[in-house]
Amino acid sequence: MKLADAKSPPDSGQSVQHPAGEGMLYVPGGTFRMGSDRHYPEEAPVHRVTVDAFWMDCHPVTNRQFKAFAKTTGHVTVAEIPPDPKDYPGILPHMVYAGSLMFSPPAYPVDLRDFSQWWTFAKGADWRHPYGPGSDIRGLDDHPVVHVAFSDALAYARWAGKDLPTEAEWEFAARGGLDGAEFAWGDEFAPGGRHMANTWQGEFPRQNTGDDGYERTSPVTAFPPNGYGLHDLIGNVWEWTSDWYSPRHEADAAKACCIPENPRGGREADSYDPRTINVKIPRKVIKGGSHLCAPNYCRRYRPAARHAEPIDTSTSHLGFRCIRRGVSNAS
């Protein structure tokens, strides 16, 4: 099978919708070069991978969609449940409360090696209250749902009769047919000065000029779709995948006949953060970057970029979308 043509993405005008699910688009599958050798070490090495065709949500799950799920099922998210102290040895009693990680920009220059300078575990922050107890999602129905942990995303996917994508499926879809391109739309970050995704402009984390029109999340179709007609695979919010995190990709197989097909990531046992000895929480791969990714920090607004996220963690810049496998493209 030939690698996808890096210069000729499919015509997004030819996107096909199907009973696989309302708002889902067909991703044809194929062989592509996954990862990058030019950026962060966890993205390397570039290696060839094959994925089967699948259907994918055309944008991240929105507040409107998640609200319907919560209303129908009564689902309570991880952020709405106080943590069990036995899962977090050494946690102080006054810190045992329901909440989620919320971005809080400092008013002065800070050490970019210390993310505690702009992240706070906010009591009462959850998907209904994205900026804390005094906030709500009125007017944000078409924004991506945030403050969802991995189990919340998986519960929604199963309720919808779908699944979460693997890292390989997600990255293939994000590339939109542009195999090897730096971004989901080509090799230039802002072609002709046009912003193609919701990212950070200015000096992170204290100055966001909002040149792209948004300082926080944006409506899920505010920016152009990629070659498969999919929106927001880059920027806006990070997205959960189903793969356990590993610190590097595996290199290409010695023979072309041995290209991995539909890989499912690393082992759970290898996903733990070696810096947290007392707390053993496995980590999944998240993809796509977010509105907090900036040129001076976290340049992960690219298909190849990846990050590790503990499965119990929810944040104000992390969401998800679903896929469905095994459904033909017949209309």
Side-chain angles (χ1 to χ4, degrees), residues 270-281:
D270 297 329
S271 73
Y272 297 107
D273 189 339
R275 296 168 298 180
T276 56
I277 300 174
N278 294 331
V279 179
K280 289 288 188 180
I281 305 294

Side-chain angles (χ1 to χ4, degrees), residues 17 37 104 170 216 238 253 312:
Q17 294 218 12
D37 294 326
S104 180
W170 192 100
R216 293 176 172 171
W238 285 95
D312 66 335

Side-chain angles (χ1 to χ4, degrees), residues 35-39 43-46 248:
S36 172
D37 294 326
R38 299 192 297 269
H39 295 280
E43 301 171 20
V46 172
R248 285 181 65 84

